């Protein structure tokens, strides 16, 4: 059962910790985060509306437009997540 932390709590996660949260949700180990995997990661991060957050994150970080976030695109995802207040210190 994933840990649920409301976004209103200061998470104090650094960039590497955020990357680790997303990497652990690559459950099929294909090197890409699907929409479902992203949804689970955003739930763990405490998103109030994870499906909307997934759509916005794909818009901002999916550089090749394939509908997934590859490990090469993970840095852009983390930048977007940090801008949204998900705890970079």
């Amino acid at each position: 059962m994933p840990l649920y932390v409301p976004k209103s709590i200061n998470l104090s996660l650094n960039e590497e910790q955020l990357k680790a949260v997303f990497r652990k949700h690559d459950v099929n180990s294909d090197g890409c985060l699907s929409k479902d995997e992203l949804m689970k990661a955003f739930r763990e991060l405490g998103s109030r509306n994870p499906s909307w957050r997934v759509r916005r994150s794909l818009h901002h970080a999916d550089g090749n437009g394939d509908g997934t976030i590859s490990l090469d695109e993970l840095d852009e995802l983390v930048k977007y997540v940090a801008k949204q207040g998900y705890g970079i210190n």
Side-chain angles (χ1 to χ4, degrees):
M1 179 172 179
L3 173 67
Y4 176 78
V5 178
K7 186 178 172 191
S8 60
I9 293 175
N10 184 6
L11 295 174
S12 298
L13 298 176
N14 65 33
E15 185 174 325
E16 287 307 312
Q17 290 169 319
L18 282 171
K19 285 181 182 180
V21 168
F22 286 106
R23 282 190 197 116
K24 87 174 183 185
H25 286 283
D26 181 16
V27 293
N28 60 0
S29 300
D30 66 351
C32 294
L33 292 164
S34 67
K35 290 178 183 178
D36 186 52
E37 292 167 335
L38 285 168
M39 179 101 58
K40 290 174 183 172
F42 278 113
R43 281 188 186 130
E44 180 176 334
L45 290 170
S47 176
R48 292 184 185 115
N49 191 344
S51 60
W52 185 83
R53 189 61 63 203
V54 167
R55 288 192 305 274
R56 297 306 301 154
S57 65
L58 287 169
H59 173 78
H60 287 280
D62 183 16
N64 62 7
D66 66 353
T68 64
I69 300 294
S70 68
L71 293 180
D72 294 335
E73 297 164 331
L74 191 57
D75 287 336
E76 286 302 312
L77 175 63
V78 169
K79 286 179 193 174
Y80 168 74
V81 169
K83 270 189 196 178
Q84 304 310 310
Y86 285 95
I88 282 230
N89 56 5

